[in-house]
Amino acid sequence: MAQQPLYAGFDLGTTNSAVAVFDGQHTQVIRNAAGGAVTPSVVRIDRAGRVTVGQRARRFLEDDPDNTATEWKRLMGTGKAVAFPAAGVSKRPEELSAEILKALRADVADQLGTAVERAVISVPALFELPQSAATSEAARLAGFARVELLQEPIASALAAGWRADDDGTASWLVYDLGGGTFDASLLETRDGLLRVVAHDGDNFLGGRDFDWAITEHLAAELARQTGVQLERKDPSHAGALRLLRLAAEDAKIELSRSPTAQVTLARPLVVGDRELDVDLALSRATVEALTAPLIERSLAVCLRLLAGNGLGPGRLARVVLVGGPTLSPGLRAQVQARLEATAADGLDPMTLVAQGAALYAATAGLDGRAAPTAAPQGKKVWLQYPPVSSDLTPHVVGRVVGADPPARLRLERADGGWQSPDAAIGPDGGFVTMVSLVPRAASTFRLVATAADGAAIAVDPATITIVAGLTIADPPLSRTIGVALASDHVQVYFERGAPLPTRRSFTHTTVETIAAGNPDSVLRIPIVQGEFEQAHLCRLVGTLEVRGVDVKTTVPTGATVEVTIELDRAGCLAARAHVPAIDQVFEQVAHLLVPDAAPAALDAALADQRRHLMQVRTDAFRHGLRELIDKLGAVEGLLASAERDIDAAHGGDADAGQKARRTLIEIDAVLAEADLARSWPELDGEAHEAAIIATGAVAAFGSDAERKLLDEVLAALARARRERDLAELGRQLRLVRRLSSAAWNRNPDAWTYHLEDAASAIHEARDLPAARKLVDAGRVAVAAGDTDAVRRAVKQLWALLPVDAAARKKGFDSGVR
Amino acid sequence: MLLALALRARAALWRARAADRRRFVPLTLLLAFIEGGFVASVLSLALTLLLLGAPITALVLLALIAWLVVPHWLIDALAIPRGWHRAAWHLARFDPRGDAATWPSLVAARAAARTGAPSAAVAWITGRLPARLDGAGVVVHGLLAHGAGDRGDARRLLHSLTALQAPGVDAQVIASEWLALDAAERGAWRELVDGIATWPATPLRYLLEAVALRRLALPRAPGAASRWLRWLVAPARLATWRYLRAAPAAAPAATTTATAAPVEPASADARVAAATALVAAAQAPSPERAAAAVAAWRDVLDDPAWLPAQLARAAALGLDPTAAVRTVGAARDGVIARLVQLTVASRAPLPAGDVGVAAAVRAGARARILDGLEVGFDRLHARVATDGGELAMIDEWREFLAVRDGYEAAVAPGGVELERVAFPHADTALGEWAVALWNRRRQHHASHAITSWLFARAREVGDAAAVEHHGRNRALAIPEA
Amino acid sequence: MLGVAVTATTREIEREAQKLLAMLALGVGDAGTYPSAAGPRPRTAEAVRAAAAQLRDPRQRLLAELTAGAQPTAAPASAAPTAAAPGWADALRRTGWGPR
C-alpha cells in the first residue's frame, strides 16, 4: 500500500512565513531548524554572496540593514529590485520569496524526508494578477513543479472550520491583520461547503503601521528630550528610524505580556553629527491609544463589509483572527466587542494560514510527493474522487486501463461498516459509483474487482482514502477581470468570485484602423483588474496587442475582434484575440508590472488632485450639494495620508510610494463620482439657458422645419432633465445648440460677431501672423458688407485656434469597444 | 498616318460605348465590324509578304501590328492569364479600350491578382498610381485585395466607386464586370438587376444582366435569341457556356432569405416562454427574434405579480430582505442587459414604450448605440487632429467606408430621431477629416466623397447648418490632377 | 447544463457537478455533451465549474432560475440564402479574375 499522502501548504507572509503539512488525518506545522513555527521573511546576502534567511538573517536587520531585506512582499509584481551592495547584487522580490520557500521546503525535507514537488501557496485576498504571477514565479524558482494559489482568508477559514460541528448555514468573518495588509472576508458555510461571500480590505494597513505609529511616538518623545526630530522623508534619518522601529517592535511584543516596557538601545542613535541615547518608557495604555485608530480603521472595513451584505454586528457565528498583531489582548477585545462575535479559540493566528493551505492542497488533490515510480501491482485504474469531501456520499468515477477490464467493481470500507453495490464496468472501462463516508473522519476503501466468472482481479491502487470535512469547491477569483473599452468602461470577463480556472470570450468592435505594414499602427486591448466601472481606475494587468506589421491586410475600424481570456489557478493569464475579417489570431500579451511609483510623479498627482478637490468643493458649495460636501471630507483625510506616504517615498521607502499610489487612485474614484454629481446642476443650467436662446433664435431666423424640429428636441431635452439622464441631456443640448447656431448664423450680423469673438482669442492661434491677416481681411469684408468673405475668414481663423477637446487618453488607449 | 487615325477612331468608339449604355448594341456591332476589318487587313498584308518571299519581314510586321492593333487580345489571352503584370501594363498603353493614364494599372492589377498578388507586384503597380487616390486607384487596390484572397475587402472597395463623384470610366468598367461576376457567383441576382442603372455596360455585364433578369423571372427579361447574342459578344465564352446552358427557365425568387419562424410559446408558462425566446434569439440572431424576446420578457417582468414572487423565492434561498430586493433587481437588470445586447447586435428596431421592460431596453440600446458611435468618432477626430496620424490613402478610404457603413447600420434601428442625436458627432469628425484630406493631403476625390455623404445625412436629419456647409463644400470643383 | 432541476438543493448540485467533473476528467460515459434548447451542446469542465459556482451563490442562482428551462424551438433555418438562388460557382476565377 502506498505511503500516506503529503499535502503541503505555504504561507508566504510579509514579515513571517510558515509551512504546514496534512496527511489526510492531521495537520502539522513544520518547525524550522531553529525550532520556530514561523520563519521571518528576511533575506541577507553577505559580501561573499552567501544567502542567509529567517531568524539568522533577521539578526542583521539592526547591524547590517543595507544587505538585509524584509517586507518585499508588497513589492511583488512591481519589478523593483532590492539591492545588496556588499555582494554587489540585486534581487527581484520573487527571487527573495524563492529563498524563503527554498528554506521552508528544506525544513519539510529534513523532518519528513520528502522534498515536496507540488504545493499550495497562500496569497492575500486582494492580490492582483502581476502579484500572483510573481508568487508563482517564486515557487518555480524554489524548485516546485506545480503550485496553486489560495487566498489567505479562505485558508484561515478552512483551518478554523476544519471538522467544525455546525452543519447548517453560518456566517464567519476572517479578520486577517498581517504585517503589511489587512483583509476582511465574509464566508458562509452551508452543508459543509465553504463559500466566500465577499472580501474587503486595505492593502496597506498592517502590523507595520502599528510599529510606525509607535515609532513616530517614540521619535516625538525623543525630539522632546533631545530636540532632534527624526523625519521619514529625510534619507539620512532612515538608519536611526529603522533601529527605533525594531526597538518599538520588541517593546510591543513585551507589552502583550506586561503593562509597561522600557525602550532602550544598546548603542546611541547617530543622527548627523549627534549621538542620541534612547531610553524611553512605553505603557500598554499608550500603545493601545496609538493603535486604536488603526484598529478602528480595520473595523470600519469589517462593518462596511457586513453592511454591504445585509448583515449587522451580532449576526456572525464566529470571527477568525489571523496574523501576529491579533495576538494583542487589546486588539482581540476591541474586535470582539465591536463585531459582537466571539473569536474561535485554540487557533494559532501565526500558522493558521499555512495549515489551511495544506488542507486545501488535499481538497485540490495536490499531493506533494513526486509521482511514484513503482510498477503497478495489478490492473491500473484511473480514479477521480474528492480526497476531502463535505458530502458524505460523494461519487467515485474510475476507468480501468488496458484490455480485458474486470466485469464488476465495488468499494468496501476498511472498517467493514459499508460496501458499495457492484458497479458495472462499461465498454470504455469506465464506471461510476457512490461511497458512504464516516462523518468527520477519514474513510479508507478497498477496491474489489471481479471478472465475469467471479474471479478476483488485483487492481492498482488497491485502496483510496476520502476525508469528510469542510471543503471549498474551487478557489475564487479575488478581483474582477475585464477588458478596458475605448469609452473607458470595462467589459467584465470574470466577476470577483468566479471559480478558477476559467475562460471566457466576448466579441468587441474596433474603433480604429489597423493599417497593414504600418509599425505605428497598434490596436491595444487592455486587460484590467478591479471593481471600478471606469477602466482608468482599475489596474492594467496586461495588454493584448494587434500590430499593423503583423496583420495580413488592413483591418478597418468597426471590425469585430473575438477576445478570449483564460486564467489558471496559479494566477497566470493568457489572452487571445481572433480577428475574423483576416482570420488571424494574436496572442502577444504585454504583461505589465505594477506601475512604478516615482515620488516626483506622485507629487504632481497629489497637487493635481488638490486642485481638483478645490474645484469640486467650490462647486459643491455653490450648488449646495450637502451630500457631496460630506463625501469630500473623506477625501481630505485620504489626501493627508497620501502626503505622509509620499514624504516617506521621498525618503527612499518604495513601499510607501506604492501605498500612496493606491490612495491616489481611491481619491480619483471619489472625485470622479463627485464630478458626475456636480456636473448635473451645471449642465442643467446650461440646458435651460440654451433652450431660451434657441427658442429666440429659431423664432427669428429659423425655417418652419427648424421650428418643428426645435419643438421635438426641446421635448426630448425636458425628458432628459426630468429623468436626470446626464448623457442624454448632453446629447440633446448639443442638438439645441446646433439648431440655435444654424438659425443665428442666418443673421447677417452673426459672422461679424464670430469674427470679433475669434479675434479676442487670437493669441492662442497656431500661426499668429496668418491669424492677424485673417482678422484684418475679415474686418475689411465687414466694412464692405461681404458676408461670404467674412464667413470664409472666420472659418479659416477657427482652423488656427486650438481645439478644446484634447484627445482623452483614458481607458488605457483601448482600441476596442 | 491613316492607321493612327483609324486606331484613334476605334478607341473613341470603345470609350463611347462604355460611357453610355444606351448606345451599347449599335456601337458593339460597329466595333465588331472595325475589329474584323483590322484583322482581315493585317492578315492579308502578312500573307502577301509571305507569298512575296519575305517571311522575316512578314513576321516583324505581324508582331508590330499585333502590338499596335490588337494589344487587347494579347492582354486578355496572354498577359492576364499568365499573370504578367509588367507586360500587361505596357501593352495596355496601346489598348483601345481604356485611357493610357489609368488602364495600364487596372490591367496590371488584374494580372497580378491572377498570381495571388505577390508583394513585389503590388509594390510595382501601386508605385505607378498617382498620389491622389481616384477611382482607378480604388479599383486597383480592390483587385489586388481579391488576388490576396480577401473577397470582402475587394467587394467593398469596388462598390465604393459609387461614392465618388467622378470615378472614371475605366475604373467603372472593371468594377462593373467584377461586381457582376461576384454577384452571379453568390446568386445575388437582385444586386445585378439593381445595378443596371448605375454601372456602365460591358459585353460581360450585358450578358450577366440578361441572366439575372431571367433568373428573377422579371417581365423585362430578354428572350433566348438576345441572350445567345449577348453570350456571343461577351468574352470567356467557354467559361460562360456551361452556366448559360444550365440556366433554368425560371428560378425561385432570389431574395427569399431564411425567414425566421416566429417563436411559438412552447409552454403556457410565460417565464419559460420568455427564457425560450431569449435562447432562440441568442442562437440565431435576427431582428424578429430579438423583438419577440423583448415582448416575451415584457409579459413576465412587467407583470405586477412577478416582484413579490421573486422576493419570496429569494427569501427561500436564504437571502435577507435587503439583499433580496437588491438581488431581484439585479436579476431583472441582468435579463434587460441581455435583451439590450440582443437588440443592438441583431439591429432590431428599438422597442416602443415609455415604461417597464420596453423602455429600459430602448434606453439601454439607444445609449449603447450612441456610445459606440461617439467613441468611434472621437477616436477618428483625435487621429485626424494628430500630426503623423495619417494612414496610407487607401486605408483612409477603407476607414471611411467602414465608418459610413457602421454608422448607417447603427442608426437604422432608431430611425431619424436616433440619427439626429448621432449626427453631430459624425459631422464634427468626418467634416474635419474631409477638410484635412482636401487641404493637407490634396486628396480631393476622397474628401469630396465624404462631404457628399455628410451632405446627404444632414439632409436626412434636417440639420440646416450642416446642409448649407457641406452643400457649399460639395459644390467645389475637383481640381485636375 | 448540470442536468439538475430548478429546485435542486445545494448538495444535489455539488454532487452532480463533482460526478460530471470526474467523468469529464476520465472521459467516462457521455458527460461530454448535454441537451439544450438548441440541441446537444459540448460540456466542458470550465462550464460545469462556472455553472456550479453560479448556483452556489443565491444571488446568481435567482438569475439562473429566471432564464432556465428554455424549451427547444424549431431549428433555425441556417441554410445560406444562396441555396435558394443557385449562383455561378467560381465564375470570377473561370472568367479570368482573381487568383487562379
Side-chain angles (χ1 to χ4, degrees):
Chain A
M1 151 155 190
Q3 291 173 272
Q4 282 193 319
L6 180 74
Y7 301 108
F10 290 79
D11 172 11
L12 205 50
T14 306
T15 43
N16 290 303
S17 297
V19 55
V21 295
F22 175 61
D23 61 4
Q25 309 267 6
H26 308 284
T27 57
Q28 180 193 350
V29 175
I30 302 294
R31 295 190 169 263
N32 59 29
V38 296
T39 300
S41 304
V42 183
V43 172
R44 168 182 149 82
I45 303 181
D46 66 13
R47 192 183 305 276
R50 276 188 302 256
V51 178
T52 324
V53 301
Q55 194 58 45
R56 280 172 52 208
R58 189 177 183 276
R59 283 198 287 272
F60 288 96
L61 269 182
E62 252 173 87
D63 299 336
D64 186 16
D66 289 346
N67 294 304
T68 312
T70 183
E71 298 192 357
W72 61 78
K73 186 174 171 183
R74 291 190 202 177
L75 299 178
M76 292 284 270
T78 60
K80 213 175 169 71
V82 179
F84 294 89
V89 295
S90 62
K91 296 272 181 192
R92 289 175 296 138
E94 44 268 49
E95 291 176 298
L96 297 175
S97 293
E99 293 298 336
I100 299 293
L101 285 174
K102 269 188 218 162
L104 295 174
R105 192 165 168 242
D107 290 338
V108 178
D110 283 351
Q111 287 180 42
L112 304 178
T114 312
V116 287
E117 297 265 306
R118 294 176 292 175
V120 170
I121 299 179
S122 66
V123 289
L126 295 178
F127 247 26
E128 284 151 347
L129 283 182
Q131 297 161 300
S132 298
T135 307
S136 290
E137 172 67 8
R140 199 187 59 76
L141 292 173
F144 288 94
R146 194 177 141 211
V147 290
E148 286 191 15
L149 305 183
L150 180 70
Q151 286 125 33
E152 285 160 8
I154 302 175
S156 323
L158 268 178
W162 168 240
R163 295 184 191 176
D165 285 346
D166 25 47
D167 261 351
T169 303
S171 295
W172 299 7
L173 185 92
V174 177
Y175 178 102
D176 180 353
L177 189 58
T181 54
F182 170 67
D183 291 316
S185 307
L186 184 63
L187 297 106
E188 180 196 81
T189 55
R190 184 190 286 244
D191 302 331
L193 196 75
L194 190 68
R195 189 173 71 84
V196 181
V197 177
H199 275 305
D200 206 334
D202 187 331
N203 236 355
F204 294 97
L205 172 68
R208 209 181 104 109
D209 299 286
F210 287 41
D211 295 343
W212 272 119
I214 300 168
T215 310
E216 276 169 8
H217 167 79
L218 293 177
E221 285 289 304
L222 201 62
R224 210 166 47 77
Q225 283 182 7
T226 63
V228 177
Q229 179 66 54
L230 293 174
E231 303 235 25
R232 277 176 85 182
K233 66 177 156 193
D234 188 341
S236 67
H237 292 179
L241 276 171
R242 189 168 38 241
L243 291 178
L244 204 57
R245 218 195 93 200
L246 286 171
E249 231 179 293
D250 291 340
K252 187 184 72 177
I253 293 167
E254 198 182 329
L255 285 173
S256 59
R257 292 188 298 267
S258 65
T260 57
Q262 203 65 20
V263 181
T264 49
L265 288 181
R267 273 166 297 166
L269 287 182
V270 182
V271 180
D273 49 3
R274 286 197 57 179
E275 293 202 343
L276 310 176
D277 282 312
V278 178
D279 188 7
L280 301 163
L282 199 60
S283 73
R284 189 187 277 175
T286 312
V287 168
E288 278 174 8
L290 285 170
T291 56
L294 293 170
I295 298 173
E296 204 45 48
R297 211 167 116 199
S298 71
L299 285 169
V301 171
C302 295
L303 294 171
R304 182 171 74 198
L305 177 67
L306 293 181
N309 290 280
L311 291 174
R315 295 274 303 274
L316 289 172
R318 66 169 93 177
V319 178
V320 180
L321 294 170
V322 185
T326 64
L327 284 169
S328 142
L331 184 145
R332 293 180 84 87
Q334 199 174 339
V335 169
Q336 296 190 50
R338 286 294 303 276
L339 299 179
E340 296 173 36
T342 49
D345 282 333
L347 301 173
D348 176 11
M350 303 294 285
T351 60
L352 202 59
V353 171
Q355 294 178 50
L359 287 168
Y360 175 72
T363 306
L366 217 57
D367 193 339
R369 298 167 302 171
T373 47
Q377 299 165 338
K379 243 179 172 7
K380 184 74 197 149
V381 184
W382 294 113
L383 288 170
Q384 282 283 321
Y385 59 90
V388 181
S389 172
S390 54
D391 182 358
L392 290 180
T393 53
H395 284 102
V396 172
V397 178
R399 186 171 192 167
V400 186
V401 186
D404 300 331
R408 282 179 302 277
L409 189 143
R410 67 171 186 272
L411 286 102
E412 294 175 355
R413 203 159 73 199
D415 65 5
W418 178 88
Q419 81 174 50
S420 77
D422 279 353
I425 293 180
D428 56 354
F431 62 91
V432 179
T433 186
M434 248 186 200
V435 294
S436 172
L437 306 182
V438 180
R440 289 187 273 283
S443 307
T444 300
F445 297 91
R446 265 192 305 277
L447 274 73
V448 181
T450 46
D453 57 9
I457 298 178
V459 290
D460 178 74
T463 62
I464 59 170
T465 302
I466 301 181
V467 183
L470 190 70
T471 60
I472 174 144
D474 285 297
L477 179 64
S478 61
R479 311 200 104 172
T480 302
I481 285 182
V483 161
L485 305 180
S487 57
D488 197 30
H489 286 99
V490 179
Q491 165 69 59
V492 171
Y493 274 61
F494 314 118
E495 292 271 8
R496 165 153 86 171
L500 296 179
T502 183
R503 180 218 316 251
R504 210 160 170 201
S505 301
F506 279 100
T507 302
H508 297 277
T509 308
T510 62
V511 296
E512 55 198 43
T513 294
I514 315 166
N518 183 346
D520 296 333
S521 177
V522 181
L523 182 90
R524 292 192 178 80
I525 304 171
I527 301 165
V528 295
Q529 190 166 25
E531 279 72 42
F532 294 105
E533 277 180 23
Q534 287 156 293
H536 74 276
L537 297 175
C538 299
R539 173 167 285 176
L540 184 64
V541 294
T543 302
L544 193 56
E545 291 187 343
V546 181
R547 296 163 188 278
V549 288
D550 297 333
V551 295
K552 279 190 294 198
T553 55
T554 292
V555 184
T557 173
T560 53
V561 184
E562 291 157 10
V563 178
T564 304
I565 302 185
E566 275 179 72
L567 204 59
D568 70 8
R569 284 181 176 179
C572 292
L573 174 96
R576 198 169 58 239
H578 175 225
V579 185
I582 49 171
D583 197 24
Q584 273 184 283
V585 172
F586 301 86
E587 296 182 300
Q588 193 170 19
V589 178
H591 275 286
L592 296 182
L593 299 166
V594 176
D596 199 25
L602 292 173
D603 278 339
L606 183 74
D608 227 34
Q609 294 197 334
R610 277 251 153 76
R611 244 190 328 272
H612 193 170
L613 175 67
M614 290 276 281
Q615 275 173 13
V616 176
R617 197 171 24 210
T618 315
D619 277 6
F621 277 114
R622 201 174 57 199
H623 296 295
L625 301 171
R626 173 158 291 285
E627 214 175 300
L628 189 54
I629 296 167
D630 290 348
K631 261 193 203 143
L632 295 178
V635 175
E636 288 282 1
L638 286 173
L639 275 174
S641 108
E643 188 168 15
R644 262 200 314 279
D645 288 324
I646 294 174
D647 275 351
H650 276 292
D653 188 343
D655 180 24
Q658 286 294 340
K659 183 175 165 187
R661 204 183 59 79
R662 284 302 289 261
T663 314
L664 289 174
I665 288 179
E666 263 173 55
I667 297 172
D668 204 12
V670 178
L671 289 180
E673 201 185 316
D675 268 343
L676 275 182
R678 81 178 166 131
S679 56
W680 176 261
E682 213 164 274
L683 200 64
D684 190 46
E686 278 177 41
H688 182 67
E689 208 170 294
I692 294 171
I693 295 173
T695 311
V698 172
F701 307 105
S703 66
D704 283 345
E706 281 171 328
R707 277 184 210 113
K708 193 164 155 280
L709 205 55
L710 181 67
D711 284 345
E712 279 178 38
V713 175
L714 287 180
L717 188 78
R719 185 163 56 214
R721 287 177 70 182
R722 217 171 32 244
E723 288 168 4
R724 293 183 77 86
D725 184 338
L726 195 67
E728 184 65 20
L729 185 67
R731 289 181 180 126
Q732 299 295 345
L733 177 59
R734 200 176 314 127
L735 285 185
V736 170
R737 288 197 170 133
R738 281 176 84 91
L739 275 169
S740 180
S741 79
W744 169 244
N745 286 344
R746 278 195 212 107
N747 177 358
D749 296 335
W751 290 100
T752 312
Y753 169 80
H754 288 319
L755 178 69
E756 291 310 320
D757 188 44
S760 69
I762 197 171
H763 54 280
E764 292 174 24
R766 256 182 292 171
D767 181 351
L768 194 58
R772 287 225 174 88
K773 224 179 265 174
L774 284 168
V775 171
D776 292 344
R779 284 180 181 150
V780 170
V782 170
D786 183 351
T787 316
D788 261 7
V790 182
R791 199 194 55 230
R792 266 201 306 279
V794 170
K795 294 232 159 154
Q796 286 175 25
L797 207 48
W798 279 347
L800 291 178
L801 293 174
V803 186
D804 54 347
R808 278 175 304 158
K809 279 286 172 189
K810 282 185 174 175
F812 300 113
D813 206 12
S814 171
V816 294
R817 66 176 165 87
Chain B
M1 181 69 187
L2 203 66
L3 181 67
L5 264 179
L7 287 174
R8 281 241 180 122
R10 183 180 59 156
L13 278 176
W14 274 103
R15 269 164 249 165
R17 187 182 72 165
D20 184 357
R21 63 184 299 136
R22 278 168 308 179
R23 286 184 285 173
F24 184 79
V25 178
L27 289 182
T28 303
L29 292 175
L30 191 57
L31 272 170
F33 181 72
I34 292 175
E35 296 277 313
F38 268 128
V39 173
S41 34
V42 167
L43 283 180
S44 50
L45 187 64
L47 204 65
T48 315
L49 280 170
L50 203 65
L51 289 175
L52 287 176
I56 306 290
T57 323
L59 270 179
V60 170
L61 193 70
L62 211 58
L64 186 73
I65 285 176
W67 180 262
L68 280 176
V69 176
V70 287
H72 51 303
W73 290 9
L74 294 179
I75 291 170
D76 288 0
L78 218 60
I80 292 179
R82 305 260 156 199
W84 298 339
H85 60 274
R86 284 197 177 89
W89 195 89
H90 290 295
L91 277 168
R93 291 161 67 193
F94 302 94
D95 191 338
R97 292 174 296 183
D99 194 319
T102 50
W103 192 248
S105 304
L106 291 164
V107 171
R110 264 196 76 177
R114 221 45 198 154
T115 53
S119 50
V122 170
W124 193 89
I125 296 166
T126 51
R128 274 160 183 72
L129 289 174
R132 188 173 74 166
L133 185 70
D134 55 7
V138 169
V139 172
V140 164
H141 282 286
L143 294 174
L144 293 173
H146 179 202
D150 193 342
R151 183 76 80 87
D153 189 29
R155 189 179 304 133
R156 250 188 320 277
L157 285 174
L158 294 183
H159 197 267
S160 74
L161 280 196
T162 50
L164 291 169
Q165 188 197 29
V169 175
D170 289 354
Q172 280 185 310
V173 162
I174 297 279
S176 142
E177 292 202 347
W178 192 96
L179 288 169
L181 283 164
D182 175 62
E185 221 175 279
R186 289 180 289 125
W189 305 111
R190 175 60 61 181
E191 264 179 49
L192 256 165
V193 172
D194 290 346
I196 287 180
T198 329
W199 297 98
T202 72
L204 185 64
R205 173 114 201 162
Y206 211 55
L207 166 68
L208 288 166
E209 285 167 3
V211 174
L213 289 166
R214 207 168 110 80
R215 288 275 183 127
L216 294 172
L218 293 176
R220 53 199 165 113
S226 163
R227 216 164 60 242
W228 283 108
L229 199 65
R230 289 177 192 220
W231 171 77
L232 206 62
V233 296
R237 273 167 232 83
L238 276 178
T240 51
W241 165 258
R242 42 183 278 150
Y243 295 129
L244 212 60
R245 288 292 307 272
T255 48
T256 48
T257 44
T259 45
V263 181
E264 302 277 337
S267 151
D269 185 346
R271 189 201 62 75
V272 173
T276 305
L278 197 62
V279 171
Q283 287 294 323
S286 80
E288 295 79 14
R289 280 165 188 266
V294 172
W297 281 102
R298 200 163 45 195
D299 292 346
V300 177
L301 299 177
D302 289 352
D303 182 349
W306 180 77
L307 185 62
Q310 284 294 297
L311 289 175
R313 175 69 185 141
L317 286 173
L319 290 171
D320 70 283
T322 346
V325 170
R326 213 181 310 155
T327 305
V328 172
R332 182 177 188 274
D333 291 348
V335 170
I336 285 172
R338 283 170 74 174
L339 290 172
V340 165
Q341 200 265 331
L342 286 173
T343 303
V344 174
S346 67
R347 307 214 184 278
L350 302 189
D354 283 337
V355 288
V357 171
V361 172
R362 183 186 173 79
R366 197 168 177 283
R368 213 163 136 150
I369 291 171
L370 289 171
D371 279 349
L373 287 172
E374 286 168 12
V375 161
F377 288 132
D378 283 354
R379 195 51 72 95
L380 175 63
H381 191 197
R383 179 175 74 78
V384 172
T386 328
D387 291 330
E390 292 167 352
L391 301 175
M393 196 49 219
I394 189 65
D395 289 339
E396 298 269 3
W397 183 248
R398 282 188 174 109
E399 178 151 331
F400 166 61
L401 300 178
V403 167
R404 179 194 70 179
D405 297 347
Y407 172 89
E408 287 177 0
V411 297
V416 73
E417 191 278 329
L418 181 70
E419 181 169 2
R420 196 182 294 145
V421 181
F423 179 71
H425 273 274
D427 188 31
T428 310
L430 273 77
E432 285 187 20
W433 193 17
V435 168
L437 287 178
W438 185 284
N439 290 339
R440 250 196 280 156
R441 298 186 69 177
R442 311 252 144 226
Q443 292 288 352
H444 306 108
H445 294 286
S447 174
H448 188 274
I450 296 175
T451 305
S452 300
W453 181 73
L454 283 172
F455 177 72
R457 298 326 298 180
R459 285 233 295 227
E460 188 72 21
V461 299
D463 188 327
V467 168
E468 200 228 320
H469 174 75
H470 299 304
R472 212 171 25 241
N473 281 346
R474 197 166 147 266
L476 289 176
I478 293 179
E480 288 296 315
Chain C
M1 156 71 76
L2 296 178
V4 294
V6 173
T7 52
T9 63
T10 320
R11 177 147 287 175
E12 284 163 358
I13 291 165
E14 295 300 334
R15 193 174 293 162
E16 198 56 31
Q18 180 244 322
K19 182 180 88 179
L20 286 171
L21 284 173
M23 289 171 77
L24 282 170
L26 294 180
V28 170
D30 53 358
T33 56
Y34 70 98
S36 83
R41 310 253 296 155
R43 172 152 47 199
T44 62
E46 284 130 31
V48 171
R49 281 202 181 88
Q54 193 186 21
L55 296 180
R56 213 173 283 143
D57 180 352
R59 291 149 212 254
Q60 293 189 46
R61 178 165 176 166
L62 213 57
L63 175 61
E65 284 181 2
L66 201 55
T67 51
Q71 299 295 305
T73 52
S78 59
T82 43
W88 285 16
D90 233 7
L92 271 164
R93 193 180 62 78
R94 281 176 194 282
T95 49
W97 299 80
R100 277 195 283 258

